[in-house]
């Protein structure tokens, strides 16, 4: 095909002249690439520079903890101190866990066999399921209260995300499983030694972990250990009841019902006192991003609209930040924008969840690039609702992406962790 004249009809069949159609779009795309390069020297595609910028972001976070602005915010790191292990309480949990492991309930139960326990002193039910039927993780997952069961339901909904699900908010839940000695924290190994526990072989050590929203996965507190012990002991009775009444469990599960009883109920008592309750429905949380109408309308007038497609996402970083050894590490929130067609990262930042300003981050990027995208893609419908007002004021269309180029960036983060 020969060269197409600027004033000739565009070969795409739009009916417009070539200069006003495909040629114009190509020139705009090339200009965007040039301006992106000017704006993002510090956002080089070379991996070592990416790592340098991430390290700088992490350092800024830790240094910012001493600022007046941070101290005025109820920071997660400030709110949760790292509690020392109570050897006596841990000993009770280990003994209950070893009785559970000896039973091997995963041979006839799976994580869909959810059950609930009413623990004395707890206002809400505590939910749990047995792991190991798939031959990967052997143990018990515990979901405290209404927030816990909602997390369980969300986990089932994101199973298709695979390893990317670790960028989501975690918990609240407790995981009691068999693991290796190197998975234990130094303090845990010390307590095991003091209690004279010795385990040999791979995946033979009891590993207890707490998942809390906004925090890095950490060891259990004394209160969590006491709750886990009560649920563990009752889970043994649930497992024996399930083995004896497998058909009944199957029928009830198909009806989206789960069994529950009070902690301390024996197998004989469960024959009469076991109750079945409907599985709670998943509850979607939508946090609308605040939008400054005056500022956004000003940005809309200042910055022209381009034909580009951007991706916007906010997710938890796999790299934890620990204020000091006395605090539980937190998971900072990462805000990121990339070009959907090229995968080029346009900008990103690490912030504490309480200090996240998504609208401000978007405005900063738009002003820096001197362009507004025609379309902004996000990862799921809930995020569309969260930013719909923001981008409506900016004159941009928002939709859900079938595939996010941002996922490649997340894979890079996992390799760097």
């Amino acid at each position: 095909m020969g060269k197409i004249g600027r004033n000739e009809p565009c070969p795409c069949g739009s009916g417009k002249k070539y200069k006003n159609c495909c040629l114009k779009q190509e020139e705009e795309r090339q200009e965007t690439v040039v301006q992106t390069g000017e704006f993002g020297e510090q956002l080089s595609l070379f991996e070592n520079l990416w790592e340098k910028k991430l390290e700088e972001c992490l350092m800024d976070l830790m240094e910012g903890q001493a600022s007046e602005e941070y101290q005025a915010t109820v920071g997660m790191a400030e709110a949760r101190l790292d509690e020392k292990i109570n050897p006596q309480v841990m000993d009770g949990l280990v003994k209950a866990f070893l009785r559970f492991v000896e039973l091997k309930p995963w041979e006839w139960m799976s994580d869909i066999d959810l059950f609930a326990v009413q623990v004395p002193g707890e206002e809400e039910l505590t939910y749990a399921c047995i792991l190991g039927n798939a031959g990967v993780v052997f143990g018990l997952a515990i979901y405290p209260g209404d927030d816990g069961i909602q997390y369980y339901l969300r986990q089932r909904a994101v199973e298709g995300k695979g390893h990317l699900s670790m960028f989501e908010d975690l918990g609240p839940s407790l995981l009691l499983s068999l693991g290796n000695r190197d998975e234990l924290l130094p303090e845990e190994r010390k307590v095991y030694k003091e209690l004279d526990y010795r385990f040999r072989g791979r995946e033979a050590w009891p590993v207890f972990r707490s998942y809390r929203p906004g925090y890095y996965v950490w060891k259990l507190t004394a209160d969590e250990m006491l709750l886990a012990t009560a649920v563990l002991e009752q889970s043994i009775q649930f497992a024996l009841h399930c083995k004896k009444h497998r058909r009944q469990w199957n029928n009830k599960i198909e009806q989206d019902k789960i069994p529950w009883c009070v902690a301390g109920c024996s197998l004989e008592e469960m024959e009469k006192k076991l109750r079945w309750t409907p599985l709670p429905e998943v509850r979607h949380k939508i946090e609308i991003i605040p939008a400054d109408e005056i500022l956004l309308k000003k940005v809309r007038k200042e910055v022209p609209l381009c034909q580009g497609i951007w991706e916007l996402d906010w997710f938890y970083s796999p790299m934890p930040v620990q204020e000091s050894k006395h605090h539980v590490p937190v998971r900072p929130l990462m805000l990121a924008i990339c070009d959907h067609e090229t995968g080029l990262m346009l900008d990103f930042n690490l912030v504490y969840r309480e200090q996240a300003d998504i609208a401000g981050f978007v405005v900063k990027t738009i002003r820096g690039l001197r362009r507004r995208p025609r379309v902004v893609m996000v990862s799921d419908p809930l995020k569309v609702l969260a930013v719909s007002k923001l981008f409506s004021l900016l004159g941009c269309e928002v939709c859900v992406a079938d595939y996010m180029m941002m996922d490649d960036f997340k894979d890079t983060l996992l390799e760097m962790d």
Side-chain angles (χ1 to χ4, degrees):
M1 181 181 295
K3 183 177 180 180
I4 302 173
R6 295 175 61 87
N7 293 316
E8 292 182 16
C10 189
C12 72
S14 64
K16 299 180 181 180
K17 292 183 179 181
Y18 179 52
K19 67 177 183 180
N20 296 326
C21 190
C22 290
L23 179 60
K24 181 180 179 181
Q25 293 181 14
E26 176 61 21
E27 289 174 344
E28 288 179 342
R29 190 186 71 80
Q30 293 293 339
E31 185 178 353
T32 299
V33 170
V34 171
Q35 292 189 3
T36 298
E38 294 173 353
F39 172 66
E41 289 183 4
Q42 61 179 342
L43 302 177
S44 170
L45 291 176
F46 295 104
E47 185 174 322
N48 60 334
L49 294 184
W50 277 112
E51 292 182 11
K52 182 179 179 181
K53 178 171 174 61
L54 283 172
E55 290 174 359
E56 291 173 354
C57 287
L58 289 170
M59 288 300 297
D60 289 343
L61 273 181
M62 290 184 284
E63 291 174 0
Q65 289 173 347
S67 68
E68 292 183 3
E69 179 184 358
Y70 175 77
Q71 295 300 328
T73 305
V74 183
M76 291 179 295
E78 188 178 32
R80 188 180 176 194
L81 292 173
D82 184 17
E83 181 180 309
K84 290 186 177 181
I85 295 175
N86 183 316
Q88 183 178 357
V89 174
M90 188 170 188
D91 187 34
L93 177 58
V94 172
K95 288 177 178 176
F97 183 72
L98 294 179
R99 291 194 295 271
F100 171 86
V101 169
E102 186 178 4
L103 185 64
K104 297 182 180 179
W106 48 78
E107 292 184 352
W108 64 88
M109 296 180 74
S110 69
D111 59 354
I112 66 170
D113 296 313
L114 190 70
F115 52 88
V117 182
Q118 182 64 66
V119 179
E122 298 291 331
E123 295 182 2
E124 298 180 308
L125 291 174
T126 300
Y127 302 82
C129 63
I130 290 168
L131 307 176
N133 189 261
V136 180
V137 179
F138 298 89
L140 185 74
I142 299 173
Y143 304 92
D146 185 60
D147 289 340
I149 188 61
Q150 288 299 319
Y151 176 55
Y152 169 84
L153 296 172
R154 289 199 305 272
Q155 276 189 307
R156 288 174 55 171
V158 301
E159 282 181 353
K161 290 189 177 182
H163 67 282
L164 294 177
S165 64
M166 68 180 60
F167 291 96
E168 306 287 339
D169 211 356
L170 302 180
S173 70
L174 309 176
L175 178 60
L176 320 175
S177 63
L178 290 171
N180 298 322
R181 187 176 183 276
D182 57 10
E183 296 177 46
L184 299 171
L185 296 172
E187 184 185 0
E188 292 173 311
R189 292 197 289 267
K190 180 180 178 181
V191 173
Y192 275 149
K193 185 176 181 180
E194 292 175 356
L195 295 173
D196 200 29
Y197 282 115
R198 297 182 179 86
F199 304 97
R200 297 184 179 278
R202 290 178 56 81
E203 296 186 351
W205 290 77
V207 179
F208 309 134
R209 290 292 174 262
S210 173
Y211 293 75
R212 291 196 190 185
Y215 290 97
Y216 192 64
V217 182
W218 208 240
K219 64 181 186 289
L220 274 59
T221 64
D223 287 342
E224 288 174 331
M225 287 185 182
L226 291 172
L227 176 69
T229 302
V231 176
L232 254 178
E233 292 173 341
Q234 195 59 50
S235 71
I236 294 175
Q237 306 306 318
F238 270 109
L240 294 172
H241 185 277
C242 178
K243 190 174 185 179
K244 184 177 180 181
H245 302 282
R246 182 70 261 190
R247 180 174 296 180
Q248 179 191 16
W249 277 61
N250 290 341
N251 292 337
K252 293 293 186 179
I253 289 171
E254 289 179 1
Q255 300 171 23
D256 285 333
K257 292 185 177 182
I258 59 175
W260 72 274
C261 70
V262 177
C265 194
S266 67
L267 181 61
E268 291 74 18
E269 292 173 326
M270 289 177 71
E271 295 290 343
K272 297 180 179 180
K273 296 182 179 181
L274 190 67
R275 299 290 182 265
W276 293 83
T277 185
L279 178 68
E281 295 183 357
V282 62
R283 191 177 63 248
H284 297 294
K285 293 174 61 177
I286 303 173
E287 298 182 6
I288 304 300
I289 304 302
D292 184 334
E293 294 191 23
I294 296 176
L295 172 62
L296 295 175
K297 288 179 179 179
K298 181 181 179 181
V299 172
R300 184 171 177 172
K301 290 181 180 180
E302 290 177 350
V303 184
L305 191 70
C306 70
Q307 294 298 315
I309 301 176
W310 290 2
E311 292 179 3
L312 168 67
D313 206 357
W314 56 98
F315 48 86
Y316 284 93
S317 167
M319 295 166 286
V321 174
Q322 188 173 26
E323 182 179 354
S324 74
K325 64 180 181 180
H326 302 297
H327 289 80
V328 177
V330 300
R331 302 175 67 211
L333 199 66
M334 177 166 282
L335 316 179
I337 293 177
C338 82
D339 182 273
H340 180 67
E341 295 181 346
T342 64
L344 174 66
M345 190 59 57
L346 303 179
D347 199 3
F348 73 86
N349 196 15
L350 281 174
V351 296
Y352 287 107
R353 180 173 61 178
E354 299 92 342
Q355 299 174 327
D357 180 8
I358 295 175
F361 173 71
V362 169
V363 168
K364 170 181 170 292
T365 304
I366 287 176
R367 281 179 162 171
L369 289 172
R370 300 187 296 279
R371 285 185 176 275
R372 287 178 290 125
R374 178 176 58 84
V375 177
V376 175
M377 290 184 167
V378 293
S379 57
D380 63 62
L382 297 182
K383 289 186 176 179
V384 169
L385 295 175
V387 299
S388 59
K389 181 179 180 180
L390 167 64
F391 286 107
S392 174
L393 291 169
L394 286 169
C396 308
E397 178 186 347
V398 185
C399 63
V400 177
D402 294 329
Y403 170 76
M404 294 280 281
M405 295 290 286
M406 190 80 69
D407 293 346
D408 295 334
F409 177 62
K410 292 180 180 179
D411 288 335
T412 301
L413 290 177
L414 289 176
E415 293 172 0
M416 294 167 59
D417 184 22

